[in-house]
Amino acid sequence: MTDQKVQELLSRMTLEEKIGQLVQLDGGCYGVGALATGPQAKLGITQDVVDVSGSVLNVLGADKVRAIQARYLSRSRLKIPLLFMADVIYGYKNVYPIPLGLGCTWNPALIREDYRMIAEEACADGCMVTFSPPVDLVRDARWGRCMESPGEDAWLNSRYAKAMVEGFQNDLDPAHSVASCVKHYAAYGAVEAGREYNTVDMSERRLRQDYLPGYKAAVDAGCMLVMTSFNTIDSVPVTANRWLVKGILRDEWGFGGVVITDYAAIQELKAHGVAASDREASRLAMDATVDIDMKTPCYANQLAGLVRDGALREEQIDEACLRVLRLKNRLGLFEDPYRRADAACAEATAHDPAHAAAARKTAQRAAVLLKNEGNVLPLRKQGQRIALIGPYADSADIIGMWAIHADRGRAVTLRSAMEEKLAGGVLGFSQGCRTVEALSALGEFGNVPALQGEDAGEAAAARWEQEALALAAESDVVVAAMGEHMLQSGESGSRTDITLPAPQKRLLKKLRAVGKPVVLVLFNGRPLALEDIEADCDAILEAWFPGTQGGPALADLLFGDAAPSGRLTVSFPYTVGQEPLYYNGFNTGRPAEGSGHSGRFVSRYLDCPNEAKYPFGYGLGYHTAVYSGLTLSADTLRPGGTLSARVTVRNTGAAAGVEVVQLYLRDLVGSVARPVRELKDFRRITLQPGESRTVEFVIREAMLAFLDRNMEWTAEPGTFEVMIGPHCMETQKARFEFIV
Ligand code: GLC
């Protein structure tokens, strides 16, 4: 309908009906099972509120959605449809790798296409809004939600944010799109000590320069909702932070869409200690221009009183309600309240072979080969006895913590995929060990089943180990499929020990002692500290949680039907003590290298290198490459001008392979300290054996800009270093002057 009719509808609504549009409830309020994605609390709201509520949380299934909508509309005075919102983060029935793996593809265009297919599947099954993409910049591997982020670089995250929003929203084609909700605004990834829901505090410069770009890129791409995060910024919880939500998001960035809180965040303003009551919490959130209250009774029970007492203006309620009605209108709900949800279509779309093929291709490209000593990979399909051992060898639980609407049973295991590829080779399998010492520490979440054998007693575990060691002894090579339990990452998955879980580490060392080559395939949701097991492995393939096609994708890589091409978008530390760890830090006044001070008095640890064990941008293929001949088209750049940088890349290996050629810049002297390097561009190129390619980058003034001493975005004159290479720590260098 026209916007004028939307506004006319608003004018006919009572205050209670307008407030109802600002309330989001879960399926339990509509007579269907509620999947708890947060703490469960008795809401204490009336049926009258349910009858005028605006949206539903995490209820999907075409028939179920249609039934709820029909029943709801039959009781609705003004026939304003419900909005169905859900966590369809990185897959629906076909699940892709976790976003941290997607980031490692260095291929936003691929991810945009993947997200378009995700939207198709979810839309057909009744999803209208997805609480995705999460684009929180992450620098601390202790935080479990690293798994939901594309990584530690602001510019690269922005590229993915744009691609994911465009993929989901797909020009709002009614049958092939969902509205996206970028999250978690803002800077949730910077929780102190990596501890979930903890405090965030940083300079405004760091916030704007490093942490906000991903959300802004999503808003600029047309993202229709923004979710406020659980944390404080400058001591003010984001859900009550008028400066951040109204000042920056709405007034500076021009965001006119809907702001929804994270789960129960309004009521949690009391726990933060900035509100003494639900009433005060509600007033603070509404004053910050937060539109929808997710899963608490605050707005439902407090807003009318606040308006009647004059503590809030009814215009504020009108503005929030109008944003929600406009969202529903843009989704076409007033013309079609079901948005073409159809069970048969949903089933057909979810089984579209193109979707599974896309999930497999992306899982191949998300994997990062960290080590391949003696070219133990790729394996041979025949004439080799392979021992496949570990908790993830035959597990379907490879889709990560936030694939809550997926059918885990659709996941193809590594074992079945490898068996299918073998042509006369021998593959033996053993569970080997438990994933973690005790499941109890992980808490409950949704329908996550215990991994196969998780509840095995000591006797069973001992039997598995004997079986695994015997299998290894009679094999030519061991593939150890190991990693974190799926609930050791994701929400509430913070860890202070980010090494491989103890039962698996013990087994890995015993397998090493058998004396056969060991290939470690890792399933995890964060950078791990691998220093204590790296020497036990001849090869290490980082698979992340690769999704429903993870088994076939990894088998493709292990047998060489595809070559690894992923590159890290997060730094892997030697030890958790280095966290937070990221590639683009400052030089400090006493850099470990080149400071001129004596050995002791420089910025370093006594017991660990400063650098990452596996750095940002790093990854191996089945080929080798040499970079040479970096040249600049000029040694000066002027405002509005361009400068080109060229480098030659040669495949010196015997196999074809992908190189991700990365361009970094460094501003050697600024009005404030500047990072020692910053990613500014990259190219993915495929090279045949012996092939050379000259890669050219265009350097522009905008690449030089930063927030100067006066908090103005500007490019300052001076010397800049150009660095081009296969990762951030291995680059060819040249310099130019920016002259104004
Ligand atoms: C959770 C998560 C958020 C999710 C929301 C709804 O607590 O923080 O990412 O979208 O609640 O499930």
Side-chain angles (χ1 to χ4, degrees):
M1 72 168 83
T2 63
D3 194 61
Q4 185 183 346
K5 284 200 177 299
V6 173
Q7 296 190 55
E8 187 211 20
L9 169 61
L10 177 70
S11 67
R12 289 187 282 126
M13 295 171 75
T14 65
L15 178 59
E16 282 65 23
E17 288 168 332
K18 289 185 276 193
I19 291 168
Q21 289 301 309
L22 313 184
V23 176
Q24 179 167 98
L25 303 171
D26 69 27
C29 299
Y30 303 89
V32 294
L35 174 60
T37 58
Q40 281 293 68
K42 190 140 183 55
L43 287 187
I45 57 169
T46 65
Q47 184 59 41
D48 290 348
V49 171
V50 176
D51 289 345
V52 296
S53 56
S55 57
V56 193
L57 165 63
N58 275 323
V59 170
L60 291 182
D63 291 341
K64 192 184 296 184
V65 166
R66 296 185 76 92
I68 291 173
Q69 189 74 285
R71 194 163 54 243
Y72 175 88
L73 288 172
S74 69
R75 300 167 63 97
S76 167
R77 180 177 78 90
L78 293 168
K79 308 301 177 197
I80 301 172
L82 268 177
L83 199 50
F84 289 79
M85 304 193 194
D87 290 291
V88 178
I89 315 289
Y90 50 90
Y92 184 53
K93 298 305 176 187
N94 283 285
V95 179
Y96 295 76
I98 56 174
L100 192 51
L102 300 178
C104 291
T105 65
W106 290 64
N107 198 335
L110 175 75
I111 304 314
R112 179 188 303 113
E113 183 54 16
D114 290 345
Y115 274 49
R116 186 189 60 74
M117 285 186 259
I118 295 172
E120 259 186 12
E121 290 183 27
C123 174
D125 226 14
C127 182
M128 301 167 181
V129 173
T130 179
F131 297 129
S132 184
V135 293
D136 306 310
L137 187 96
V138 291
R139 291 175 162 172
D140 196 321
R142 292 170 292 185
W143 192 49
R145 303 192 81 164
C146 286
M147 59 89 77
E148 293 174 71
S149 167
E152 69 188 46
D153 182 76
W155 175 78
L156 195 51
N157 282 9
S158 301
R159 296 280 305 277
Y160 281 113
K162 178 176 186 296
M164 292 168 172
V165 168
E166 289 172 351
F168 275 139
Q169 298 194 165
N170 192 24
D171 299 328
L172 289 185
D173 171 341
H176 304 88
S177 63
V178 291
S180 58
C181 175
V182 67
K183 68 185 186 184
H184 305 78
Y185 184 79
Y188 184 22
V191 286
E192 285 179 355
R195 195 179 85 224
E196 187 62 288
Y197 313 126
N198 203 2
T199 301
V200 169
D201 213 57
M202 64 180 71
S203 68
E204 183 179 343
R205 174 177 285 106
R206 171 160 288 195
L207 176 68
R208 286 180 176 275
Q209 205 154 253
D210 297 343
Y211 285 87
L212 292 186
Y215 312 113
K216 186 171 189 307
V219 167
D220 291 347
C223 189
M224 298 169 77
L225 297 93
V226 173
M227 181 185 289
T228 59
S229 55
F230 290 119
N231 54 281
T232 54
I233 293 277
D234 192 17
S235 306
V236 179
V238 171
T239 301
N241 197 317
R242 185 176 167 86
W243 170 72
L244 200 59
V245 181
K246 184 174 186 316
I248 293 181
L249 177 62
R250 294 195 187 282
D251 297 347
E252 270 189 48
W253 296 358
F255 178 67
V258 170
V259 173
I260 184 170
T261 71
D262 202 339
Y263 196 108
I266 293 182
Q267 202 159 45
E268 290 175 4
L269 295 177
K270 294 189 291 185
H272 275 291
V274 298
S277 64
D278 285 359
R279 173 185 163 91
E280 182 57 8
S282 304
R283 185 187 65 76
L284 289 171
M286 183 50 67
D287 271 343
T289 74
V290 169
D291 300 314
I292 296 180
D293 173 3
M294 182 191 290
K295 233 347 221 141
T296 89
C298 289
Y299 274 10
N301 294 345
Q302 303 300 332
L303 287 184
L306 284 161
V307 171
R308 291 195 179 101
D309 298 350
L312 285 175
R313 293 174 289 107
E314 187 161 355
E315 291 74 18
Q316 291 175 272
I317 310 299
D318 292 352
E319 287 164 12
C321 181
L322 186 56
R323 288 190 283 261
V324 175
L325 295 177
R326 281 175 168 157
L327 171 60
K328 294 183 175 183
N329 193 40
R330 284 190 63 195
L331 289 169
L333 290 189
F334 292 106
E335 289 73 32
D336 174 9
Y338 308 101
R339 216 162 173 264
R340 303 195 197 178
D342 175 86
C345 176
E347 183 68 10
T349 310
H351 288 87
D352 181 341
H355 290 205
R360 178 170 178 167
K361 183 170 82 171
T362 301
Q364 282 172 7
R365 298 184 176 190
V368 183
L369 183 59
L370 300 177
K371 180 181 183 181
N372 192 19
E373 203 77 30
N375 294 324
V376 66
L377 289 177
L379 302 174
R380 299 197 306 276
K381 293 176 185 173
Q382 54 191 9
Q384 204 172 26
R385 293 168 302 170
I386 302 168
L388 177 60
I389 295 168
Y392 281 105
D394 197 26
S395 165
D397 233 356
I398 54 177
I399 59 178
M401 180 259 182
W402 267 116
I404 59 175
H405 296 287
D407 304 334
R408 276 177 172 69
R410 287 172 65 122
V412 183
T413 72
L414 179 57
R415 179 185 184 185
S416 60
M418 289 181 75
E419 284 171 343
E420 191 175 314
K421 277 189 177 290
L422 281 181
V426 174
L427 180 74
F429 158 74
S430 167
Q431 172 83 10
C433 63
R434 289 195 296 249
T435 312
V436 292
E437 297 290 20
L439 269 178
S440 55
L442 301 178
E444 292 301 315
F445 177 65
N447 58 349
V448 176
L451 278 183
Q452 177 179 330
E454 279 304 341
D455 51 0
E458 289 311 316
R463 193 172 60 252
W464 283 341
E465 180 177 297
Q466 285 168 350
E467 174 192 274
L469 295 177
L471 179 62
E474 63 193 34
S475 301
D476 300 318
V477 60
V478 173
V479 175
M482 297 182 164
E484 293 182 303
H485 187 284
M486 189 186 62
L487 290 183
Q488 285 183 297
S489 63
E491 185 169 358
S492 309
S494 293
R495 295 176 70 198
T496 58
D497 172 358
I498 56 174
T499 63
L500 192 65
Q504 300 177 67
K505 205 183 300 185
R506 287 196 297 270
L507 178 61
L508 186 61
K509 292 192 177 296
K510 290 181 179 174
L511 287 170
R512 182 56 166 183
V514 172
K516 304 294 173 65
V518 174
V519 175
L520 174 63
V521 182
L522 276 175
F523 299 79
N524 48 290
R526 57 160 48 83
L528 294 179
L530 300 173
E531 178 64 4
D532 60 351
I533 57 163
E534 185 258 323
D536 300 320
C537 310
D538 298 278
I540 301 176
L541 182 63
E542 174 56 76
W544 310 112
F545 286 107
T548 44
Q549 288 295 316
L554 294 170
D556 291 339
L557 296 171
L558 290 172
F559 286 111
D561 291 336
S565 61
R567 297 290 185 271
L568 294 178
T569 58
V570 281
S571 306
F572 275 51
Y574 284 90
T575 170
V576 69
Q578 291 178 272
E579 296 299 328
L581 179 67
Y582 47 102
Y583 83 95
N584 51 347
F586 293 151
N587 201 35
T588 76
R590 294 195 178 185
E593 309 296 332
S595 71
H597 291 291
S598 71
R600 180 178 179 82
F601 301 101
V602 294
S603 179
R604 69 187 181 110
Y605 300 101
L606 294 178
D607 53 1
C608 178
N610 291 354
E611 297 74 25
K613 179 170 178 65
Y614 300 111
F616 180 86
Y618 173 81
L620 302 174
Y622 290 149
H623 68 294
T624 52
V626 169
Y627 287 61
S628 62
L630 171 58
T631 56
L632 303 183
S633 59
D635 53 14
T636 58
L637 175 68
R638 293 185 181 278
T642 62
L643 171 68
S644 74
R646 288 190 181 86
V647 74
T648 298
V649 186
R650 183 160 181 271
N651 180 343
T652 51
V658 169
E659 277 298 305
V660 180
V661 185
Q662 299 156 40
L663 166 69
Y664 297 89
L665 291 183
R666 178 180 180 180
D667 183 351
L668 293 178
V669 178
S671 57
V672 296
R674 303 287 297 123
V676 294
R677 63 183 73 78
E678 290 181 292
L679 178 70
K680 294 297 179 183
D681 203 351
F682 67 90
R683 295 279 187 288
R684 285 177 100 272
I685 60 173
T686 299
L687 294 174
Q688 297 306 314
E691 182 184 1
S692 285
R693 184 93 50 87
T694 297
V695 176
E696 178 177 8
F697 293 102
V698 177
I699 295 171
R700 295 179 168 71
E701 179 182 351
M703 291 179 175
L704 316 184
F706 66 101
L707 283 175
D708 67 7
R709 182 69 75 94
N710 303 316
M711 291 294 283
E712 297 291 332
W713 278 103
T714 182
E716 295 177 344
T719 306
F720 288 80
E721 189 157 71
V722 177
M723 293 164 269
I724 299 180
H727 61 76
C728 70
M729 298 303 285
E730 188 182 318
T731 55
Q732 304 263 311
K733 295 180 178 175
R735 291 187 175 187
F736 69 89
E737 292 295 319
F738 178 60
I739 300 171
V740 293

